[in-house]
Amino acid sequence: MKKLVPLMVLLSALLLLFVVSMPHAAAQGVEPTVIYEVNGKTVEKPLSEVNSSGAFEIGKNYTFKWSSSVTWILSFGGKNLTGTGSRFTVTLEQSGTYQLKVIENANTTYVYKFVVGEGPMGGYLALIGAGLAVGLSAIGSGVGVGITGASGAAAIGSDPKSKFGRILIFQAFPQTQAIYGFLIAIIIMMGIGAFSGHIENVPISIGLAAIGAGISVGLAGLSAIGQGIVAGTGIGTTQHDRISYGKAVVFSILPETQAIYGLLIAILILYGSGMFGGGVKHYSLGVGLAAIGAGLAMGVSGLTAIGQGIAASSSCAATAENPKAFTKGMIFSVIAETPSITALIIAIVVLSATGLLSGSGFMSGNAALFVGLAAIGAGLAVGFAGLSGIGLGIAAGSSVYASMREKASFGKIMVFAIMPETQVIYGLLVAIFIVNGAGLFGSKPLAFPIGVGLAAIGAGLAIGVSGMTAIGQGIAAGSGAAASVEKPSAFSKSIIFSVLPETQSIYALIVSIIILYAVGLLGGGLQIPKSMALFVGIGAIGAGLAIGFAGLSGIGQGITAAMGIGAFTRRSESFGKSMMLSVMSETFAIFGLLVAILLLMAIGVF
C-alpha cells in the first residue's frame, strides 16, 4: 500500500498538469467582451451575449477586449487576421461563422465561434416588397373603383329609381385587389418584426423574396382596372334588367382570377421563406432572385385582366342585347386569361425547383445564383409576353359583336380572336428553354457561369417585351373579325393585315434562340469561352433591349392595319395602298433587329 502512495501522487500531478495545459473554452465562463455601436451609442457586452442577440453584422467595427495583453487570431474562409494587446479591433466584411482564438500563453488558448449576419439590409429590402404589394395593387383598385363609380354616378343621375345597392356591390368588386396587397404587406412586415419597433436582421435573400411576393400580388392587383371596366358595364346593363344580375356578376368577377393567381404565388413565396410565423429561413441569394423571377412572371402577366375586362364588358353588353350571346361571350372572355395560366405554371416550376414551394431543401452551391438569374429571364419572357392578353381581349371584344350578326361564321371569327395568342406561346417557349436548360425540370439544377444567367435575362427581355405587339395585332384582328362578317370575301385579306404586327415577335424569337444556343441553354454545351461568359451576358441584355423595345412598333402597325382593313372593305382597290401604309412601322423593328445582330456579332455570338 505504501508503494502505491507515491504512484498515486505522481498520477495526480500528471493529471493536474494535463488539465492546466488544456486550452480553455468559453463554456468555462472566460470570454472577451465586445465593444461596438448601437444607434450611435457605444456598448460593451460579453461575446456570447452579442452572438446570441445577432448583433454581429457585416460592415461594422467591433473591438474585442481582454483583461490582459494576448494574441488574437480571427479566422474565416481560410484567412486569418492577427493582433496583440488587450484589445483587437476588426471590421467584419462577410457573413458567416467566424472563429476567434485568444492565446494568453503557450499553454492557455481560448477558442470562440460567433455568427455574423447580413445586417438589417434584408429587412429593409423586405419593406420595399411590402410597399410594392400595397402600392401597386392600390393603383389598380383605385382606378377600377373609379371607373365603376363613374358608371354608378351616371346611372344615379339619369334615373332616380336606380338600384343603388347593386351599384355598391359592383363597385366593391375591384376593391379586393387592394385588400390582397394590404394582406401581403402586413404579413411581410410581421415576418421581419417591423411592428415590434426593431427590424430583424434577416438575410438579403429573404428581402429579395419579399420583393418577389410584392411584385406578384402588386402587379397582378392592377387586374382591378379590367374588373372596373366590366363592372361599370354591369351597372348600366342591370339597372333596367336588360341582363340578369347573376350573369352580369359572372362577367364582372372573371378578371379577379389573375389577382388570385398573384396572391397565391406571393403566399407560396412567403410561406417558403418562413414569414408566416415559422421562423425566417436561411437560403442562398439565388433563391431570392428566383422568387423575383416567379413574381415577375405572375405579376406582369396579371395585367391580362385588362384585356379580359374589355372582352367581358363587350360580352356583358352583347348579352344584354341578345341573351343567347352569353355562352359565346363567356368563351371569348376566358380566352384572354390563358397567358396568365402559362405564367402561373412557370412560376410554380421555379418555386418548386428552388425549394420555396416546400420551404425546405433550398437550392445552394454554385448553381443557385445562376438559376436565380435564369428564373428572372424566364419570368420576363412569359410575364411580358403574357401582356398579349390585352390584345386578345381587344380582339375578343370585337369578335363578340361580330358573332351576333346573321350568317356570321363563329369559326372564322374565332381565328381572329385567338391570333394574339401566338406571342404568349413564343414567350412560353423561350421560358421553357431557359428553365429546361438550367435543369429545373430535372432533379439537379445545372451550374453555369453567372454570365449565362444574364444572357437568359437578355433572351427573356427580347421575346417578352416584343410580345406586347399582340396589342397591335388585337386591334387589327378585331377590325378583321368585323370586316369578315360584313363582307365575307374580305376574310383572307383581313388575315394578312392581322398577321403583320406579329413579325416583330418573330424577329425577337430568332434573337432569343441565338442567345440561348450560344450560352448552352438549348443543349450542346457552352459555345463561348467561360472567360467571356460575363461579357456575353451583358451584351445579350443589350441585344434583347434593342429588338424587344423596337418590336413595340407592332402596336402602331396594328393601328394602321385595322384602318387598312376598313379601307379595302369599303373600296377593294385600296388594298395595295393600305398594305404599303401598314408595313411602314415595320422599318423600326428592322432597325432593332439589325442592332441586335450587330451586338451579337460584336460579342462573338453570331
Side-chain angles (χ1 to χ4, degrees):
M1 185 67 180
K2 292 181 179 180
K3 293 181 179 180
L4 291 176
V5 172
L7 181 60
M8 293 177 65
V9 172
L10 178 61
L11 290 175
S12 299
L14 290 174
L15 180 61
L16 179 61
L17 180 62
F18 176 73
V19 171
V20 171
S21 64
M22 284 183 63
H24 294 282
Q28 295 174 300
V30 180
E31 62 178 322
T33 57
V34 184
I35 303 172
Y36 62 103
E37 285 191 3
V38 178
N39 298 325
K41 296 181 180 180
T42 301
V43 297
E44 182 175 351
K45 296 181 180 180
L47 186 148
S48 58
E49 183 178 340
V50 178
N51 187 40
S52 62
S53 64
F56 284 114
E57 301 173 7
I58 57 173
K60 293 184 67 173
N61 294 328
Y62 295 87
T63 298
F64 297 92
K65 181 180 176 182
W66 198 259
S67 58
S68 60
S69 180
V70 294
T71 299
W72 306 84
I73 302 177
L74 182 65
S75 303
F76 177 78
K79 297 181 180 180
N80 295 326
L81 289 176
T82 61
T84 56
S86 60
R87 297 192 178 199
F88 179 49
T89 302
V90 294
T91 301
L92 303 176
E93 297 180 348
Q94 297 185 55
S95 61
T97 301
Y98 285 70
Q99 178 177 280
L100 178 66
K101 287 185 178 180
V102 180
I103 304 174
E104 278 192 327
N105 51 57
N107 298 320
T108 307
T109 300
Y110 300 90
V111 180
Y112 310 91
K113 289 186 178 181
F114 59 91
V115 177
V116 177
E118 296 176 350
M121 180 58 72
Y124 286 100
L125 286 175
L127 292 180
I128 294 177
L132 288 171
V134 71
L136 291 173
S137 61
I139 293 174
S141 288
V143 175
V145 169
I147 294 171
T148 311
S151 297
I156 294 171
S158 61
D159 185 2
K161 296 182 180 180
S162 59
K163 300 173 182 178
F164 186 66
R166 289 186 178 181
I167 293 174
L168 289 178
I169 292 174
F170 278 109
Q171 194 178 31
F173 288 145
Q175 296 179 24
T176 53
Q177 283 85 341
I179 295 174
Y180 299 157
F182 178 72
L183 174 65
I184 293 300
I186 293 296
I187 292 174
I188 291 174
M189 295 175 71
M190 290 179 63
I192 62 172
F195 292 131
S196 65
H198 174 70
I199 297 176
E200 296 181 7
N201 294 335
V202 301
I204 292 177
S205 55
I206 292 291
L208 294 176
I211 290 176
I215 289 173
S216 178
V217 74
L219 286 177
L222 295 176
S223 61
I225 297 173
Q227 196 165 28
I229 294 171
V230 61
T233 303
I235 289 174
T237 56
T238 57
Q239 289 303 303
H240 302 288
D241 295 320
R242 292 189 295 140
I243 181 177
S244 72
Y245 175 67
K247 289 181 178 178
V249 168
V250 169
F251 284 120
S252 297
I253 63 175
L254 284 178
E256 181 88 16
T257 51
Q258 284 87 333
I260 294 174
Y261 296 158
L263 175 64
L264 173 63
I265 293 300
I267 288 176
L268 290 175
I269 291 173
L270 297 182
Y271 173 77
S273 301
M275 289 194 187
F276 275 108
V280 173
K281 308 288 180 65
H282 289 261
Y283 46 69
S284 67
L285 195 66
V287 177
L289 292 174
I292 291 180
L296 283 170
M298 194 64 257
V300 178
S301 70
L303 272 71
T304 58
I306 296 176
Q308 190 170 30
I310 295 171
S313 177
S314 296
S315 299
C316 186
T319 304
E321 295 180 20
N322 182 2
K324 294 181 179 180
F326 176 74
T327 303
K328 291 181 179 178
M330 285 295 295
I331 294 173
F332 283 115
S333 299
V334 169
I335 288 174
E337 189 178 328
T338 53
S340 290
I341 296 174
T342 61
L344 177 65
I345 293 171
I346 292 297
I348 289 177
V349 168
V350 169
L351 295 182
S352 176
T354 55
L356 281 170
L357 195 61
S358 61
S360 61
F362 296 110
M363 184 181 301
S364 60
N366 296 330
L369 188 56
F370 154 70
V371 168
L373 294 173
I376 291 177
L380 290 170
V382 77
F384 278 99
L387 294 180
S388 61
I390 298 176
L392 283 168
I394 294 171
S398 299
S399 298
V400 171
Y401 277 104
S403 66
M404 290 175 59
R405 300 182 185 180
E406 293 184 8
K407 299 180 181 180
S409 171
F410 181 73
K412 289 183 178 180
I413 293 172
M414 183 59 72
V415 169
F416 287 106
I418 65 174
M419 270 192 169
E421 185 84 22
T422 51
Q423 281 86 336
V424 74
I425 294 175
Y426 296 157
L428 176 62
L429 184 64
V430 170
I432 289 175
F433 285 156
I434 294 173
V435 170
N436 181 64
L440 298 188
F441 284 136
S443 58
K444 185 178 181 181
L446 303 178
F448 280 93
I450 300 302
V452 177
L454 295 176
I457 292 177
L461 282 170
I463 196 63
V465 177
S466 70
M468 289 189 283
T469 58
I471 296 174
Q473 190 169 28
I475 296 171
S479 179
S484 63
V485 172
E486 181 180 338
K487 188 178 181 180
S489 61
F491 175 75
S492 298
K493 292 181 179 179
S494 296
I495 288 289
I496 295 173
F497 276 94
S498 300
V499 168
L500 287 178
E502 189 177 327
T503 53
Q504 285 86 337
S505 290
I506 296 175
Y507 299 157
L509 179 63
I510 293 171
V511 171
S512 296
I513 289 177
I514 291 173
I515 292 172
L516 296 180
Y517 174 75
V519 297
L521 289 177
L522 285 182
L526 198 64
Q527 304 297 313
I528 56 173
K530 284 188 176 181
S531 59
M532 288 294 296
L534 181 61
F535 304 107
V536 168
I538 295 172
I541 291 177
L545 291 171
I547 187 60
F549 283 106
L552 294 180
S553 60
I555 297 176
Q557 191 169 31
I559 295 171
T560 307
M563 297 305 295
I565 290 172
F568 79 74
T569 301
R570 292 188 296 272
R571 295 178 60 249
S572 58
E573 62 271 19
S574 65
F575 175 78
K577 293 179 179 178
S578 297
M579 180 62 70
M580 185 177 296
L581 293 172
S582 297
V583 299
M584 287 292 184
S585 298
E586 186 90 13
T587 308
F588 312 111
I590 295 174
F591 289 166
L593 175 63
L594 178 61
V595 170
I597 290 176
L598 291 174
L599 283 172
L600 295 179
M601 290 177 64
I603 59 179
V605 169
F606 187 72

